[in-house]
Amino acid sequence: MGLAGKTIASHVSGDRLWDRLMALARFGATDAGGVCRLALSSEEIEARAELVKWARDIGLEPSVDAAANLFLTLPGTEPELPPILTGSHIDTQPTGGKFDGAYGVIAALESLDAIVRSGRRPRRSIEAVAWMNEEGSRFAPGMMGSAVFAGVRPMAEIEAVTDASGCSVGEALGQVLAAEEALPRRPLGFPVAGYLEAHIEQGVVLEREATTIGVVIGIQGKRTFRVEIDGEESHAGTTPRGARRDALVSAVHVVQALQDAIWDEADEVRFTIGRFTVTPNAPSVVPGKVVFSIDLRHGDAETVEALGDMIPGICEAAAGKCTAAVQKLLHDEPLVFPESMRGRIGKAADRLGLSHMELPSPAGHDARYLHKVCPSGMIFIPCKEGISHNEAESVTIADATAGTQALAEVVFELAEQG
Ligand code: GLV
Ligand code: MN
Ligand code: MN
């Protein structure tokens, strides 16, 4: 047997990985080839059941915590030691693709499958994990499961968050946990020795540089806000312009003022208003209320802080005859993953003959919060033209397999550490 036959990576099967990725994508599949599998939805409950079935077939032990974080455990020879966790999320944006999040969970499962097939048992247990509500689309803000696991947000705070229909996270969690009543229940947050997350890049760097493995340096800072503009509903036919308090007209001015203030020559600031709701949203009623979201990101801590601090004042000044109320939802500083973790990923890629480079992550990931409780890192693989949060998301089997080989090598190595 050659060297390749002795590696954990040599037991990774690209076909198995791909089959599971395509099978998972059927839960919430859209006509345009994407996936709509919102957090804690019936589609996600069915997809989780499939994950549990695959895990049992491999010989893993499924379990769940009170936040519906799902763990699929390969027990180590010293199971009393804190485990290594690897995974991502399986919830998607409403018009999401097949790979954002799902790739990291299925790559984790395949890594454990490969370790089992190698006949070797690591010292520490290794757990594939699917974190609850990373996307924050149905329930905002996202990364809820990893946030409560890491102690960043209290459970009571996330349970109270509601979706557009008024359903709370607490209610939706109840449905998921009822469906998974038979699974052993884990404590919410337990000691972890290390966390590694594989993900599609969602950018164009790896593709442009013709590089297979991205060693993620860190994640840029992010702040999110909810802005409410309040005016007055009135009759579209009878109310003169001077008497109107039109929340939509006011919101348009506010949005323009924000765009002007936040515009940067270098094009480094990421500023998005992705949700905008008008009430009552009726053709013959002057709008009485507008609520919109702000997603603001930058790699520099001071910049993201200062820009975010400007937002309430800008909104209030531009609201005219209406009132503007700005609610701060989330403030995550930029972070850098430990050099030790980055070095291990680079060395594993070298051993496997895979090209690699370091790059930052402009997108957010659950690794952000795991970084607070254990040494954490991320592996990126290229995705076509950087397209993501889009039904057209696409990766190659070769890249998906290579990323999983690197993941399997590093998680096994971490699990062997004392
Ligand atoms: C994650 O989906 C993000 O929006 O960064
Ligand atoms: Mn993701
Ligand atoms: Mn995403």
Side-chain angles (χ1 to χ4, degrees):
M1 188 164 38
L3 179 66
K6 292 179 190 156
T7 61
I8 297 293
S10 66
H11 295 274
V12 167
S13 159
D15 288 343
R16 213 162 42 218
L17 175 81
W18 197 256
D19 286 350
R20 287 195 187 118
L21 277 168
M22 294 306 113
L24 195 71
R26 288 200 280 272
F27 298 96
T30 61
D31 291 344
V35 181
C36 176
R37 193 168 52 230
L38 301 182
L40 305 177
S41 62
S42 55
E43 291 81 9
E44 201 192 26
I45 291 175
E46 286 173 27
R48 287 162 66 97
E50 190 72 0
L51 281 179
V52 167
K53 184 170 151 304
W54 290 335
R56 288 201 171 115
D57 289 348
I58 297 169
L60 310 178
E61 297 171 3
S63 59
V64 67
D65 68 16
N69 294 313
L70 180 65
F71 304 92
L72 311 168
T73 305
L74 173 66
T77 55
E78 296 175 48
E80 64 286 354
L81 294 175
I84 300 299
L85 263 50
T86 175
S88 192
H89 59 97
I90 64 160
D91 65 309
T92 72
Q93 295 288 340
T95 52
K98 298 186 184 79
F99 305 103
D100 175 0
Y103 173 63
V105 174
I106 298 298
L109 198 66
E110 178 56 28
S111 296
L112 295 186
D113 207 338
I115 293 168
V116 170
R117 285 167 193 268
S118 76
R120 296 172 68 186
R121 258 303 141 103
R123 287 182 67 190
R124 293 176 189 273
S125 300
I126 307 176
E127 311 202 25
V129 53
W131 300 109
M132 186 270 284
N133 184 27
E134 192 276 345
E135 296 289 6
S137 178
R138 178 178 176 197
F139 299 107
M143 297 190 291
M144 275 185 178
S146 51
V148 289
F149 183 89
V152 173
R153 299 176 69 190
M155 190 68 188
E157 183 187 302
I158 69 152
E159 279 173 332
V161 175
T162 53
D163 68 8
S165 77
C167 174
S168 69
V169 169
E171 273 171 72
L173 273 177
Q175 288 159 11
V176 174
L177 295 174
E180 296 172 2
E181 210 174 24
L183 298 187
R185 189 63 80 81
R186 302 290 288 281
L188 188 53
F190 48 80
V192 178
Y195 177 69
L196 192 58
E197 177 164 353
H199 207 281
I200 61 169
E201 182 200 334
Q202 307 179 287
V204 294
V205 178
L206 293 174
E207 191 175 64
R208 192 182 62 213
E209 302 298 323
T211 300
T212 308
I213 299 293
V215 180
V216 180
I217 300 166
I219 301 180
Q220 74 173 340
K222 174 175 176 181
R223 295 186 73 173
T224 65
F225 302 83
R226 175 188 187 273
V227 182
E228 179 170 329
I229 310 286
D230 280 295
E232 189 177 19
E233 289 172 20
S234 56
H235 196 294
T238 61
T239 318
R241 195 175 58 236
R244 291 182 185 214
R245 293 207 305 124
D246 185 328
L248 178 57
V249 171
S250 172
V252 167
H253 291 143
V254 169
V255 170
Q256 190 60 58
L258 288 167
Q259 289 284 354
D260 292 347
I262 281 171
W263 191 90
D264 64 318
E265 179 69 38
D267 197 5
E268 285 169 349
V269 178
R270 301 288 169 262
F271 176 81
T272 306
I273 296 171
R275 177 171 288 155
F276 195 93
T277 51
V278 181
T279 304
N281 210 19
S284 299
V285 183
V286 174
K289 181 160 97 170
V290 167
V291 175
F292 65 89
S293 60
I294 295 179
D295 178 316
L296 170 71
R297 310 193 198 197
H298 195 276
D300 173 64
E302 284 81 42
T303 307
V304 79
E305 170 143 26
L307 290 176
D309 286 350
M310 284 164 41
I311 285 175
I314 295 167
C315 294
E316 284 153 24
K321 286 197 285 183
C322 296
T323 58
V326 179
Q327 188 186 353
K328 295 176 186 167
L329 294 179
L330 175 135
H331 187 166
D332 286 329
E333 300 213 323
L335 67 89
V336 175
F337 291 123
E339 168 54 38
S340 58
M341 193 64 92
R342 287 152 49 194
R344 272 186 203 283
I345 300 166
K347 284 199 191 108
D350 280 336
R351 284 200 307 278
L352 295 167
L354 300 170
S355 56
H356 60 93
M357 63 179 286
E358 291 211 331
L359 79 177
S361 173
H365 302 285
D366 294 299
R368 164 181 288 289
Y369 293 143
L370 272 293
H371 172 71
K372 292 187 183 286
V373 294
C374 65
S376 298
M378 290 193 72
I379 294 173
F380 275 173
I381 60 162
C383 67
K384 193 171 177 222
E385 293 166 22
I387 295 169
S388 187
H389 284 190
N390 185 310
E391 290 163 287
E393 231 172 44
S394 171
V395 306
T396 68
I397 301 184
D399 289 339
T401 308
T404 306
Q405 289 172 331
L407 181 76
E409 287 286 311
V410 179
V411 293
F412 187 80
E413 193 179 301
L414 291 169
E416 286 288 80
Q417 304 295 306

